[in-house]
Amino acid sequence: MTALQPIRMTDAQLVAMIDRIALESSRTEKERYLADLAATSQGREMIQLCYNPFWTWGITQKEMPPTGQGPSEGDTLAEIKTLLMKLAARELTGNAAAEVVASAFASFTPAAGRLLWLCLNKDLKAGVNTASILAVDPSIVPIFAVMRANSYEEKHVKAFPVAVEPKLDGHRVTFIAKDGGGGFFTRTGKAIDSLEHMIEPTLKALRHWAGMTRITNGQPNPVHDLLSVLRYFGGVPEIVLDGEMMSDQGFAETSGALRRKSEDADVRFHIFDMLSWDEFDAMGDVAVPYAHRRQRVLDLIGCTKHLGDRLTVTEMRVARSHDEIQLIYQDYRARGFEGAMVKLLDGPYQKKKSRSWLKLKNEDTEDLQVIGVFQGQAGGKYEHTIGGLIVDRNGVEVRVSGLDDATRAEIWKLWCEDVQLVAANPNVGYKGETFGIVGETFDRRMKLLGHVVEVEYHEVTPDGSLRHPRFIRFRDDKTGEVEK
DNA sequence: TTCCGACAGTGGGGTCGCAAT
DNA sequence: ATTGCGACCC
DNA sequence: CACTATCGGAA
């Protein structure tokens, strides 16, 4: 497409191109300058090093370390890439990695050092991310995206009936059958080693399904529509199954089982969607309506039940009104599910956060006493103000964020005043600090510590902490002792 | 003109592997 | 044996 | 995962 400029830029020129993107506040202008950057070989390389999701370094560098001063010489970017690829392969780890990185910074000019620092943080720090890069040129970095849901709002349901399914609190997983083999992948496209034992059974199910003959009755049939365009490799249909991987023992165990390398994960695959590889791999939406895609899954599971219960299809009900949706949601909650998924029956498969899938989840609030604060991450927007609050929940410290900028500024003032009373330094950093003040033991003159805030959350965790805790408001009527 | 969708950036609990201590 | 960090799940 | 800030097109 666009021919890369062969002209060799200096490191400083490359940094200048990146900073020019950062200086623009307009999204469209950012994308213009990002396109300029992507049109240079070095710029393209930087974008890849910063945004290829499959390259990680195993080491981070929050603050920019000191660099040398000498003039730039040789191909610094190639040097950086060589170093990073050693990190990516974990040929260099731990102290050895830290030493090599430190000496690289020490030998680099400030411009070269900045390039390395941006790469280590995997962020050009210019207000662009994967979506912008994709818009500029989809071929720069690999993209793996599955369909995700927005929060349920009545106005998003344009027509009834709709499908309602239980929301399963596990891990989103896709199975991809391709080139005669297969594999399980996470929501972001990482291979899941602990599911290798399920690959062959799943391929077997797909082969069995594809080999079954079915009666058409002369009617249009979504399954036959799929079969007619399917490609095969060694008898295996090239298919993508999309669903939720679940342990019977809850979310924490699902997480553990999928990460542990020591054993095969004892989980079941609750499938809710099914695409051909070509449909999944293509850019843009898959127009096949959800109702039809679901019939594909029912067909697959229906004719492979005898192969075991590791592969299942999620249950589904049909709602004809918002009231019915609420009733089904309440029923799912009563049965222990995380919530409900509302899916538009004629909606396409969209490889992004879609309005065709809507989620309902339980949310609760609690009033909890502030016992400390923490600042924002070093080098970030909130480094010198409030990053969040630390509240006490029956002896468990819960860190609470979700504050708006004005509230952060207000709280930072209160914190600075409180801290003066005990002659302490307000700069406690991201680690944060508490003064062990619980119940009535705080100084009555304090304006923040000991006061009560309302915290919203999804659920209480097994350790007595809160999942997804976020600040709602101060409860100034409730300073001091937490009620009940 | 106002509203709202998409995007980037900030932050949470919890789990594992790995390396340092 | 414990601790802390990085990477990813939600 | 949830949330806030921002820009720019939809309404």
Side-chain angles (χ1 to χ4, degrees):
Chain A
M1 281 232 266
T2 30
L4 297 186
Q5 291 176 19
I7 298 130
R8 169 116 254 124
M9 283 186 290
T10 65
D11 296 332
Q13 285 171 320
L14 187 50
V15 168
M17 284 194 86
I18 295 167
D19 287 345
R20 192 172 58 172
I21 303 170
L23 284 172
E24 282 294 340
S25 65
S26 156
R27 181 128 305 285
T28 47
E29 289 302 296
K30 275 183 189 293
E31 277 186 22
R32 256 170 35 98
Y33 289 121
L34 181 64
D36 290 345
L37 182 70
T40 71
S41 61
Q42 292 159 95
R44 195 180 170 87
E45 192 111 56
M46 277 299 290
I47 293 170
Q48 289 169 338
L49 290 171
C50 288
Y51 296 101
N52 184 325
F54 299 103
W55 291 343
T56 62
W57 318 130
I59 182 174
T60 58
Q61 191 85 47
K62 292 281 182 336
E63 292 182 48
M64 173 82 186
T67 54
Q69 290 300 325
S72 197
E73 50 186 277
D75 191 342
T76 331
L77 195 53
E79 228 178 287
I80 289 174
K81 186 166 184 183
T82 304
L83 166 54
L84 292 175
M85 287 304 122
K86 279 183 191 161
L87 294 174
R90 300 298 190 270
E91 288 167 28
L92 275 174
T93 59
N95 289 346
E99 280 164 27
V100 171
V101 168
S103 73
F105 276 113
S107 73
F108 279 170
T109 61
R114 181 164 173 84
L115 294 177
L116 175 57
W117 182 69
L118 293 174
C119 290
L120 283 173
N121 284 299
K122 297 219 62 169
D123 186 354
L124 288 177
K125 298 201 182 292
V128 292
N129 211 311
T130 340
S132 301
I133 293 159
L134 187 76
V136 164
D137 180 351
S139 72
I140 301 181
V141 293
I143 305 290
F144 184 98
V146 298
M147 184 156 172
R148 287 162 295 134
N150 268 288
S151 292
Y152 168 77
E153 286 178 58
E154 291 195 357
K155 65 179 180 188
H156 289 138
V157 180
K158 302 281 196 285
F160 285 99
V162 293
V164 185
E165 301 169 20
K167 187 174 193 305
L168 304 175
D169 192 13
H171 280 209
R172 182 69 173 278
V173 165
T174 56
F175 179 80
I176 299 178
K178 198 176 174 325
D179 301 332
F184 289 94
F185 297 88
T186 69
R187 189 169 77 72
T188 57
K190 272 80 180 174
I192 306 174
D193 296 340
S194 63
L195 293 177
E196 269 173 23
H197 63 293
M198 285 176 68
I199 293 176
E200 261 316 312
T202 309
L203 289 173
K204 186 177 179 184
L206 284 173
R207 280 195 302 263
H208 181 82
W209 165 75
M212 296 272 293
T213 50
R214 274 165 297 273
I215 301 153
T216 66
N217 291 332
Q219 297 295 321
N221 180 327
V223 177
H224 283 194
D225 291 349
L226 173 61
L227 284 165
S228 65
V229 299
L230 261 193
R231 295 198 295 185
Y232 295 80
F233 192 108
V236 178
E238 302 203 315
I239 282 283
V240 177
L241 303 174
D242 194 355
E244 195 82 359
M245 201 62 78
M246 297 279 292
S247 155
D248 291 338
Q249 293 158 73
F251 174 73
E253 173 53 23
T254 304
S255 274
L258 292 185
R259 282 175 171 78
R260 276 196 296 275
K261 293 184 169 179
S262 52
E263 56 188 303
D264 296 344
D266 180 17
V267 288
R268 284 196 296 186
F269 191 23
H270 300 255
I271 305 166
F272 46 67
D273 217 316
M274 183 166 168
L275 304 169
S276 72
W277 165 256
D278 290 328
E279 288 170 338
F280 184 74
D281 189 42
M283 293 279 295
D285 299 353
V286 180
V288 181
Y290 182 62
H292 290 192
R293 305 200 310 272
R294 208 188 144 79
Q295 273 190 260
R296 298 170 170 181
V297 183
L298 289 170
D299 198 60
L300 168 69
I301 298 304
C303 74
T304 57
K305 275 212 168 78
H306 62 287
L307 296 175
D309 64 351
R310 294 267 172 184
L311 302 185
T312 63
V313 56
T314 53
E315 69 171 84
M316 184 194 109
R317 282 153 74 176
V318 168
R320 286 168 191 78
S321 69
H322 292 295
D323 287 346
E324 273 188 41
I325 289 173
Q326 290 299 334
L327 285 173
I328 296 171
Y329 165 70
Q330 292 300 340
D331 180 54
Y332 285 155
R333 285 287 300 160
R335 288 168 55 196
F337 292 115
E338 186 190 12
M341 300 293 297
V342 175
K343 300 184 177 180
L344 307 192
L345 286 167
D346 59 353
Y349 189 96
Q350 301 183 289
K351 296 144 199 167
K352 60 177 182 181
K353 211 167 163 183
S354 164
R355 291 234 145 50
S356 292
W357 287 3
L358 306 167
K359 58 184 166 189
L360 288 92
K361 306 172 57 170
N362 183 54
E363 308 298 351
D364 264 311
T365 69
E366 257 181 33
D367 294 328
L368 298 168
Q369 194 176 27
V370 178
I371 57 172
V373 308
F374 56 95
Q375 291 172 267
Q377 299 251 22
K381 184 181 174 186
Y382 302 126
E383 180 176 9
H384 302 296
T385 179
I386 292 288
L389 300 173
I390 304 172
V391 300
D392 171 75
R393 185 177 189 279
N394 307 321
V396 178
E397 286 183 11
V398 181
R399 292 162 68 103
V400 181
S401 191
L403 306 148
D404 63 36
D405 290 4
T407 308
R408 285 176 202 270
E410 278 173 36
I411 296 179
W412 179 249
K413 266 192 178 172
L414 298 177
W415 165 250
C416 288
E417 289 174 30
D418 283 3
V419 138
Q420 272 194 342
L421 295 175
V422 291
N425 185 349
N427 293 301
V428 292
Y430 178 68
K431 291 265 181 188
E433 190 164 328
T434 69
F435 288 90
I437 341 178
V438 180
E440 292 289 354
T441 65
F442 69 98
D443 187 325
R444 285 284 179 186
R445 293 171 295 171
M446 287 189 170
K447 301 240 177 69
L448 175 69
L449 294 174
H451 289 244
V452 173
V453 292
E454 185 180 359
V455 178
E456 191 175 32
Y457 61 97
H458 174 50
E459 67 176 4
V460 176
T461 69
D463 294 339
S465 189
L466 299 177
R467 194 168 175 195
H468 309 321
R470 59 267 190 190
F471 174 88
I472 298 298
R473 56 169 175 157
F474 278 100
R475 295 300 308 263
D476 284 328
D477 50 322
K478 286 193 184 177
T479 50
E481 196 72 44
V482 182
E483 293 190 350
K484 291 197 195 165

